[in-house]
Amino acid sequence: MRILHLTDPHLFADAKGDLRGTVTYSSLSAVLDHYREGNWRADLAVVTGDLIQDDSAGAYEHFCQLLETLQLPVYCVPGNHDIRQLMRAATGKPPFHYCESLLSDNWLIVGLDSCVTGQAGGHLNVAELARLEAEIDAAAVPNVMVCLHHPPVQIGSKWLDGVGLDNGQEFLEKIAVSGKVRLAIFGHVHQPYDTDHGGVSIIATPSTCRQFAQGSDDFAVDDNPPAYRRINLHANGSYEHELVWLNN
Ligand SMILES: [Fe+2]
């Protein structure tokens, strides 16, 4: 199963809207064009939050119009900049899926809502953690990939670590007990990150728009281009992934 991981497009109702100098509609369009022009084909797309920036239904309309051109199922989870009610209305029907799970090729893919209304930082509440556990138990497959917005580990950037997942340790313990989770992918940090935590790959993909400076104590952007990630999940539980920057 091949997955196109996109994250943090931060769209506006105004297609000319920019996030610190990057026109987010144009940069998401460029990412999708880059994917189409390559020779790697996905079976589905996963988008890990911050679909929009301006709290508008119009921005979600742009998101759906752009992503529909992929002609793929698109699995979405919310980020701190999303408005759940608007996002669910826009992405709750095919080809879009809102916080839904997928069972295919010996893999379960689970999308979690790690957002707390009014806060930049995240938290997986009791209900979401229970749902994760129940879905893993119910799925008669040996491999799981979890998708969420907030990083469950510290990534070495002081300001971003202050707005990460505040119960990341609880999440990591839960997935360790299951013994089935092979990887967890997330956004939020607008930079690449890839670590191994007890045999689980913890992977961030940079944004489809503006990136944050890596390792910075304080808020700072850098000049890295938009990016996306190709993920291949094999039926035997192995997997590989490749980060693609748009300057390639
Ligand atoms: Fe973001």
Side-chain angles (χ1 to χ4, degrees), residues 40 78 87 122:
W40 182 85
M87 181 169 166

Side-chain angles (χ1 to χ4, degrees), residues 7-10 19 49-50 53 80-81 149 187-190 207 212:
T7 194
D8 296 81
H10 290 267
L19 189 70
D50 284 0
Q53 177 69 15
N80 50 294
H81 285 278
H149 182 67
H188 193 55
V189 299
H190 293 228
S207 164
F212 299 143

